[in-house]
Amino acid sequence: MHEREKRAPLQNGTFHMADVRRKRITARRAVAVGELSAGSAYDDIVERRLPKGDAIAMAEIAGLQGAKNASQLMPLCHPLPLEYIELRCEPVPERQAIRVYCEVATFARTGVEMEALAGVSAALLTLYDLTKPVQPALSMGSVRLLFKEGGKKGLWFHPEGMSDAEREHYRPREPARLEGVPASVITLSDRASRGDCEDTSGPLLVERLRALGADIGPAELRPDEPEPLAARLRELAASGMRLVLCTGGTGLGPRDRTPEALALAADRHVAGIGELFRSESSQHTPLAWLSRADAVLVGETLVIALPGSAKAVAQGMDILAPILAHALDMVAGGGHA
């Protein structure tokens, strides 16, 4: 085979940068860790008496540079404006090792895992470089991501876990839970209520709420009729339901009347939730500005109307999940902080 033919797959675009243009900008954070096994040079490092200078101080500087230059080192890594970087070198006397941590945070459409890993790697290489004159038998290893936050997948932990000290220092932000909160889901669709199509958005909302710990049954399915929906919302509020999520009927079609039903039942309007949904969803598509997503309070029950598509519901829950628990706490008389 001709040498040019052997290289053809690479030339034809085998590699490509991930397209993140339609992802939402969210707060992102990642923490990575790694270790240098220093052996007999451990005391020289910790007591800062290496011939080249203070290895720990220089490693922390190098880690900052490594995190900032991740996209220069890895061709398909997105260049990101990083808003926070912290490098820590922690001596581990029982293993004669230096444990390196790199925390990176920003607001972006993609995560900062590679930046955190690049920071750790640069710091470890610098420790190695400054230590090898007194001990060439060094080794680096155990480089991994401890955890990451933000984006569609939220909080992720490495399967090897974290120590109590690591959790105390970094305080990973767990998703706000709705443990035991009585909740209900109502799908508004003429076609689905007649059996002409399957309701996919309602069951998806139920699944997402259960994942947050809410106490919820199957989704109700109703036609697009404002008055019966308003009456049902009042019944649910009177029964002690704390959260009701409606899906469907928020568009501009002649039968899209869910916001009108909410207005009929409402005691108070919660305008910011609809504004948040439209603003955040517009990062996915400009058509989000045509949505009439809305929220009201019926007594002490928070009712939120989301669009009818499963995709919009999934995006809506990504947007709303971080604020739902606090919103319900405020409704019940809790503080604003």
Side-chain angles (χ1 to χ4, degrees), residues 2 17 38 46 112 140 143 164 175 189 191 228 232 273 287 303:
H2 193 277
M17 181 177 280
V46 173
V112 288
M140 299 177 293
V143 177
D164 291 340
S189 170
R191 294 178 62 238
R232 180 58 178 153
I273 290 180
L287 298 180
V303 181

Side-chain angles (χ1 to χ4, degrees), residues 29-33 86 88 101-104 112-113 116-117 120 144-149 162 170:
R29 185 166 69 128
V31 177
V33 65
E86 182 194 56
R88 294 194 302 132
Y101 295 92
C102 181
E103 176 184 6
V104 182
V112 288
E113 303 97 297
L117 290 163
V120 165
R144 63 183 175 92
L145 197 65
L146 274 181
F147 70 92
K148 63 176 182 175
E149 298 171 344
M162 297 172 63
Y170 291 109

Side-chain angles (χ1 to χ4, degrees), residues 300-319:
E300 295 187 355
T301 301
L302 178 61
V303 181
I304 302 174
L306 295 172
S309 76
K311 183 176 181 180
V313 160
Q315 293 170 352
M317 282 303 295
D318 291 339
I319 294 165

Side-chain angles (χ1 to χ4, degrees), residues 64 67 75 118 125 154 196 199-201 208 213 225 245 249 251 279 326 329 337:
L64 292 171
L125 287 168
D196 296 341
D199 172 26
T200 56
S201 55
R208 293 293 296 269
E225 296 290 350
L245 297 186
S279 177
H326 186 63
D329 184 60

